[in-house]
Amino acid sequence: MEQVADLAGGHADRPWDKRIRELVRPDVLILDDFAMRQLGAAQADGLCELVSERQGRSLTITSNRAPSDWYPLFPNPVVAESLLDRLINTSHQVIMNGPSYRPNKRPRNPTEK
């Protein structure tokens, strides 16, 4: 499984075309922890290009924010509307409410019973 830390990198030295082809190729692409923080203009543009190129292919997004909270994270409202319209209006949404499972996975203190 490949991890991509920054979609904005690579435009200057031209590996962007190669990177975008690699990300378009998989049958399923997972964007985990989407919308954790505000995007820069280059990141938002790269994400928009990626989603446009993958149109019609499986894309899974996980986020701790509601889709309505994603819009302010984009510096350009036109890019935000274009991208999020594609994502939100062509998706199946599974909203999970409830306590985090992580406290149950925390290692126990050896002195605890």
Side-chain angles (χ1 to χ4, degrees), residues 38-56:
Q38 194 162 11
L39 298 172
Q43 291 170 318
D45 290 347
L47 183 60
C48 192
E49 182 179 347
L50 173 62
V51 169
S52 293
E53 291 291 324
R54 283 195 58 86
Q55 194 141 9

Side-chain angles (χ1 to χ4, degrees), residues 59-92:
L59 178 63
T60 299
I61 297 173
T62 69
S63 180
N64 287 321
R65 296 179 188 243
S68 60
D69 296 337
W70 295 350
Y71 287 88
L73 301 175
F74 288 82
N76 182 333
V78 174
V79 171
E81 185 61 37
S82 174
L83 171 65
L84 297 176
D85 180 60
R86 284 185 176 95
L87 291 178
I88 294 168
N89 293 316
T90 61
S91 67
H92 299 281

